[in-house]
Amino acid sequence: MGLKLCIRNGTMVAVPNLTEAVKDSDLLVFVIPHQFIYKICDAITGHLTKQAVDISLIKGIDEGPEGLRLISDVIREKMEIDISVLMGANIANEVAAEKFCETTIGCKILENGLLFKELLQTPNFRITVVDDADTVEICGALKNIVAVGAGFCDGLHCGDNTKAAVIRLGLMEMIAFAKIFCKGQVSIATFLESCGVADLITTCYGGRNRRVAEAFVKTGKSIEKLEQEMLNGQKLQGPQTSAEVYRILQQKGLVEKFPLFTAVYKICYEGKPVQEMISCLQSHPEHI
């Protein structure tokens, strides 16, 4: 997984050994592709302090035997620790350039969410804390599927009106999915936070899922080939999440209720023509 950055005596240093890097840590930030979470949890369980609290920036979901599992649930169950989640309209190069942005921390234990706000907030990185962690995390995962759909429309030169429809209908499906699969009460207000509509808009216009999906249409190359050429082999979260969501919806008999999510999956993995993205928009139900 590469080098881990740790604070030692007030100085940030790179530690190549994972278990050594996390040894006796009180705070941990998870920022890895979601498919590696089981391996990482197995490696570091038992090496943190008992009072350790964590936060996850991981955007994705896991398929359990009973359907959806959130990545935070995997971490919480395997490591027996509390974990908050951070999601928002935070394109990395703009954050690094200290351009103003907002983000959202979702938590189960409010004091831990507020702790991470105190540690991470800056004048140019404004944080809102909400006690709706599952919805915050669902937003971070599902918006990447919608961004792939937006990229397909860009590749087809459909224009901004069509992309606006993708964003609106995608948001409808995100809300419907959260209401079905989140364990607790889903607050619609959470979708108005940075983790919701703001992150969705940003990703559909500036994210790499959109960019690679556009190239998929224009070049005819596979997603895997484009990942190698455009991302140095890094994996996109949107296509993979669409496959996981599709299998979860299949298991519950809900595929037809989520036509946009389904169209993205079938275009990416079943060879369906990209034009099906437009057909999906034209026939999308007014209510889900």
Side-chain angles (χ1 to χ4, degrees):
M1 295 299 296
L3 298 175
K4 310 300 168 182
L5 297 178
C6 307
I7 303 296
R8 297 284 172 82
N9 298 321
T11 302
M12 183 172 287
V13 296
V15 180
N17 182 280
L18 180 57
T19 55
E20 181 186 349
V22 303
K23 184 178 179 181
D24 297 329
S25 295
D26 296 311
L27 301 168
L28 207 62
V29 181
F30 285 84
V31 194
I32 59 171
H34 72 278
Q35 56 265 39
F36 299 119
I37 193 59
Y38 283 94
K39 179 180 178 180
I40 294 298
C41 286
D42 288 340
I44 65 178
T45 296
H47 294 278
L48 308 179
T49 61
K50 290 183 179 180
Q51 69 269 23
V53 291
D54 300 1
I55 192 165
S56 170
L57 280 63
I58 299 172
K59 296 173 175 62
I61 58 173
D62 181 62
E63 297 173 73
E66 297 180 359
L68 174 74
R69 293 185 77 209
L70 298 175
I71 300 302
S72 63
D73 285 337
V74 175
I75 298 170
R76 191 177 291 110
E77 292 165 12
K78 290 184 71 68
M79 300 185 63
E80 298 183 348
I81 55 176
D82 180 65
I83 184 161
S84 302
V85 296
L86 184 151
M87 308 284 162
N90 311 140
I91 292 178
N93 61 340
E94 295 182 14
V95 176
E98 298 187 342
K99 296 180 180 180
F100 178 81
C101 65
E102 298 178 311
T103 199
T104 310
I105 289 178
C107 57
K108 303 282 187 180
I109 300 176
L110 184 58
E111 64 181 292
N112 290 340
L114 293 172
L115 170 63
F116 280 108
K117 175 178 179 175
E118 183 178 353
L119 291 171
L120 299 175
Q121 183 165 264
T122 72
N124 290 319
F125 190 69
R126 186 168 67 186
I127 299 173
T128 301
V129 179
V130 299
D131 60 351
D132 190 11
D134 290 355
T135 304
V136 172
E137 188 169 358
I138 284 284
C139 285
L142 299 184
K143 56 96 177 185
N144 284 326
I145 304 177
V146 184
V148 173
F152 289 157
C153 290
D154 285 343
L156 294 170
H157 301 289
C158 294
D160 287 337
N161 292 337
T162 305
K163 187 185 284 191
V166 171
I167 294 171
R168 187 185 75 83
L169 297 172
L171 181 60
M172 284 176 56
E173 293 194 13
M174 288 169 60
I175 294 171
F177 190 94
K179 286 182 175 179
I180 293 170
F181 290 101
C182 282
K183 297 173 186 175
Q185 184 73 24
V186 172
S187 172
I188 298 301
T190 302
F191 290 92
L192 300 179
E193 298 289 349
S194 182
C195 64
V197 66
D199 196 12
L200 180 60
I201 292 170
T202 299
T203 307
C204 286
Y205 277 90
R208 61 183 182 173
N209 285 279
R210 185 221 64 80
R211 183 163 52 91
V212 173
E214 180 182 17
F216 175 86
V217 179
K218 290 183 175 180
T219 66
K221 296 178 180 179
S222 68
I223 294 292
E224 292 77 12
K225 182 67 174 176
L226 291 168
E227 287 172 335
Q228 294 172 2
E229 293 180 357
M230 300 176 67
L231 305 175
N232 296 318
Q234 294 181 31
K235 292 295 182 182
L236 285 179
Q237 296 302 299
Q240 182 163 337
T241 302
S242 77
E244 292 159 344
V245 164
Y246 182 77
R247 290 190 289 267
I248 290 168
L249 293 175
Q250 267 191 320
Q251 184 181 355
K252 301 294 184 181
L254 295 170
V255 169
E256 292 184 359
K257 290 186 176 293
F258 294 86
L260 191 149
F261 290 171
T262 298
V264 170
Y265 163 75
K266 290 189 173 183
I267 293 167
C268 287
Y269 293 104
E270 294 189 356
K272 297 295 182 181
V274 183
Q275 287 73 16
E276 287 208 2
M277 194 72 235
I278 308 305
S279 301
C280 151
L281 302 178
Q282 293 168 336
S283 61
H284 201 285
E286 293 184 10
H287 304 285
I288 301 178

